[in-house]
Amino acid sequence: MTTSHTHSQDSSRPWWSQLSGYHWFVFVVASLAWFFDCLDQRLFSLARIPALKELMPGTSQSGIQAMGKDVTALFLVGWGIGGMVFGALGDRYGRSRMLTVTVLIYSLFTGLSFFSHYYWDFALFRFLTGVGVGGVFGLAVALIAETVPAGARAGALGTLQVLSTVGNISASFIKMGIDSLEKGGSIPPNHGWRYLFLVGAVPALLVIFIQKYLREPEPWLKLKAEGRLPAGSIFSPYVALLGDKKWRSNLIIGAVIASTGVIGLWAIGEYAVDLQDVVFKQHFLSLGVDPAQVAGKVSDAKNLAFLLNMLGGAVGMSVFTWMCGVLGRRKSFVIGFSAALVVTALVYKNVTTPTQAMWMMPLMGAVQLGPLAGFSIYLPELFPSRLRSTGISFCYNLGRFAAAAGSLFSARLATDVFAKSGVPDNLRYSAITMCAIFIVGIVAVIWAPETKGQPLPED
C-alpha cells in the first residue's frame, strides 16, 4: 500500500517543483550515498593498476592487467553479495537503517585499502568494500521511490543516476590532484593510489545525517504497523518473490535487463582505461616523446578522456530519463542497448590516439551509462513495497556476479585466446567480442512489462 501523496500523478509540473523540504532532504541524502558509492567505484578503477604494480613487483604488464581484472571480479562478487544481503535486510529492518550500515562498511574498507602491503590484503579489502557498495543502490532507490510524489518519481530516480556521474567526475579531479601532489614530491613516488583510497573513507561522515534525521518511508512504516514485513530468515523475501508468479516473472526480466547494462559497463567499459594505457603509450613513443615523459603524458590524457567519458554519461542518462517519460520504458531500453552495442564496438575497434579518445569516450559514456538511469526508474516499478528493496537489489546486483564472470571471461579471452593466437591488441578484441551481451538485453525486453504512467505496484 502506498500513501496518497505517492499515488498523485502530476505530469504537468517539473518533477523538482513537486518536492517538499523533506522530499528534497531524502533525495539529497540518498544521492550523496550513491555519489560516494560511485566515487569509491571510480577511485578503484583509477587506482587498481598502479596499486598492483607496487604490490606485485616484477610482474609483467600483461600479468598486471590480468590481475587487475581478477581483483575487479572479487570486488564485483562482494558487491553482488552485499546487494543481495542488504536488499533483503532493507525490506525487513528499514531502508534508512541499512543505508547507514552500508555506507559505514564501504567507507571503512576503502580507507583500509591505504594500508595494503600485498596482493591478497588489497584484494580482501576490495571484496569487503564491495559488500558495502553493493547494498547502497537498492536501498537508495527504494527510499526515494517510496517517499517522493508519483509525478516526481521517474525524474528524481533518473536524476539520482545522473548525479552519480558527479561522483565519477570528482574521482577524476581527485586523481589529478593526487597526481600533482605526487609529481611535486608531497606524496612518495608510486604511492598516490594509497591516498585515493584514503579519500574514499570520507563518506562515513554522511552516517551522522542519516542516523539523526532520515525517517523510514511511510509505505514501509505502514507495512510494519500491519505486521506485513518479511519474517523468518534473511532468505524469506526471496522465497516470497519466487513464490508469486507475477513477482517471479518481474524478477527474472528485471535481472536480465539490469545484468546486461552492468556487464556492459564493468566487463567492457571499465577496461577502456587499460586499453588507453597501451595505445596512448604507443602513440607518444611513435611521436618521439622522451620515454621519461611518456608516463606523465599518458596519465594526463587518460584523466581527460575519463572526465569526458563521465560528462557523456551524464548527458546519456539525462536523455534516457527523458526517453522513459516520452517513449516508455521498453522502447527506451531497446534503443539504449542497440546504441551501446554499436557505439562501444566501434570505439574499441578504432581508438588509437588521445585525440580520437577525446570525442569517442563521451559517446561511449553516453550509451553505456544511459540505461543505468532506466534501472533506477524501472526496477522499483516491478515490485511491491514489502519486497521492493529485495527485488531492486537482486536485479541490479545479480549483474555484479555476471559482470565478475564476464570480467574473468574477458581476461581469458585477452590472454588465452587472442594473445596466444597472435592477435595484436588483444584487449581491444576481447572487449569487442563482449559487446554481444547487449543483444541479450534487447531480446529480454520482449517479455518486459511496460510501467510508464502506472502507480507503484502492491499486493
Side-chain angles (χ1 to χ4, degrees):
M1 297 181 185
T2 54
T3 54
S4 59
H5 79 278
T6 57
H7 273 305
S8 59
Q9 297 272 5
D10 186 357
S11 58
S12 63
R13 297 167 56 198
W15 71 266
W16 57 85
S17 68
Q18 302 177 44
L19 304 187
S20 68
Y22 182 70
H23 293 152
W24 275 112
F25 173 73
V26 171
F27 174 76
V28 169
V29 167
S31 296
L32 282 174
W34 188 229
F35 162 88
F36 285 119
D37 191 300
C38 294
L39 176 74
D40 188 286
Q41 299 169 39
R42 202 57 59 172
L43 289 175
F44 168 61
S45 297
L46 294 171
R48 67 169 177 254
I49 297 302
L52 291 172
K53 284 181 178 178
E54 180 185 342
L55 299 174
M56 302 177 67
T59 305
S60 67
Q61 178 67 21
S62 62
I64 291 293
Q65 299 285 0
M67 293 307 294
K69 293 193 175 188
D70 290 343
V71 174
T72 300
L74 284 172
F75 178 59
L76 291 169
V77 168
W79 192 331
I81 292 172
M84 300 294 184
V85 170
F86 285 108
L89 292 177
D91 281 330
R92 187 168 180 177
Y93 297 109
R95 288 78 160 100
S96 65
R97 183 181 299 178
M98 289 301 105
L99 191 62
T100 299
V101 175
T102 57
V103 171
L104 278 175
I105 290 174
Y106 77 66
S107 299
L108 172 64
F109 288 107
T110 296
L112 286 175
S113 299
F114 174 91
F115 300 100
S116 299
H117 289 287
Y118 308 99
Y119 165 82
W120 67 265
D121 59 345
F122 177 70
L124 176 63
F125 290 145
R126 296 319 301 163
F127 169 79
L128 293 172
T129 299
V131 172
V133 164
V136 171
F137 180 81
L139 296 167
V141 167
L143 194 59
I144 291 177
E146 296 173 351
T147 300
V148 304
R153 189 176 67 240
L157 291 171
T159 304
L160 170 78
Q161 281 287 32
V162 173
L163 293 178
S164 71
T165 61
V166 179
N168 297 329
I169 291 170
S170 297
S172 183
F173 281 118
I174 291 170
K175 174 71 161 55
M176 292 179 187
I178 294 295
D179 286 348
S180 179
L181 290 173
E182 190 172 349
K183 290 176 183 177
S186 299
I187 292 176
N190 303 318
H191 276 61
W193 66 269
R194 295 184 183 274
Y195 290 86
L196 288 176
F197 288 121
L198 197 61
V199 171
V202 171
L205 299 174
L206 180 62
V207 170
I208 298 172
F209 298 97
I210 295 176
Q211 285 184 318
K212 190 170 183 179
Y213 301 109
L214 193 62
R215 303 189 301 267
E216 297 296 345
E218 292 180 29
W220 186 88
L221 290 173
K222 185 174 180 61
L223 289 170
K224 181 180 180 182
E226 295 173 348
R228 297 177 57 212
L229 294 175
S233 75
I234 192 175
F235 300 106
S236 57
Y238 292 104
V239 173
L241 279 171
L242 294 172
D244 185 289
K245 182 179 180 180
K246 177 181 179 180
W247 307 137
R248 180 172 64 247
S249 176
N250 286 358
L251 189 72
I252 294 170
I253 294 301
V256 174
I257 290 175
S259 295
T260 296
V262 174
I263 293 171
L265 180 62
W266 280 94
I268 305 173
E270 284 300 303
Y271 298 112
V273 176
D274 297 351
L275 178 63
Q276 289 165 15
D277 263 328
V278 176
V279 299
F280 288 4
K281 180 179 179 180
Q282 293 172 345
H283 171 75
F284 287 121
L285 288 174
S286 70
L287 293 179
V289 175
D290 184 348
Q293 298 179 355
V294 167
K297 286 186 173 293
V298 168
S299 178
D300 291 343
K302 284 169 56 183
N303 287 340
L304 181 56
F306 180 76
L307 174 61
L308 294 172
N309 179 253
M310 290 300 104
L311 291 173
V315 173
M317 287 193 281
S318 298
V319 171
F320 202 96
T321 299
W322 172 82
M323 286 169 54
C324 282
V326 175
L327 302 177
R329 288 36 165 170
R330 298 175 75 248
K331 289 182 180 178
S332 297
F333 279 121
V334 170
I335 294 171
F337 288 147
S338 299
L341 170 65
V342 174
V343 173
T344 303
L346 287 176
V347 168
Y348 270 101
K349 183 177 187 299
N350 293 293
V351 65
T352 56
T353 70
T355 301
Q356 291 174 331
M358 297 315 152
W359 66 266
M360 289 183 180
M361 293 310 295
L363 292 176
M364 194 169 83
V367 298
Q368 286 197 336
L369 291 170
L372 271 64
F375 303 155
S376 297
I377 295 167
Y378 189 55
L379 295 180
E381 298 174 342
L382 297 178
F383 308 104
S385 292
R386 66 186 179 90
L387 302 171
R388 184 162 293 125
S389 177
T390 304
I392 296 169
S393 295
F394 179 87
C395 291
Y396 199 70
N397 291 291
L398 181 68
R400 305 302 170 186
F401 293 109
S407 182
L408 293 173
F409 181 70
S410 176
R412 300 293 86 80
L413 272 178
T415 58
D416 297 342
V417 177
F418 291 116
K420 289 185 178 179
S421 300
V423 176
D425 293 338
N426 55 323
L427 286 173
R428 186 190 304 276
Y429 288 99
S430 171
I432 293 172
T433 303
M434 291 294 295
C435 285
I437 190 62
F438 294 114
I439 299 173
V440 176
I442 295 170
V443 173
V445 173
I446 296 172
W447 294 277
E450 180 55 70
T451 57
K452 176 179 176 289
Q454 299 178 16
L456 291 176
E458 296 300 343
D459 292 310

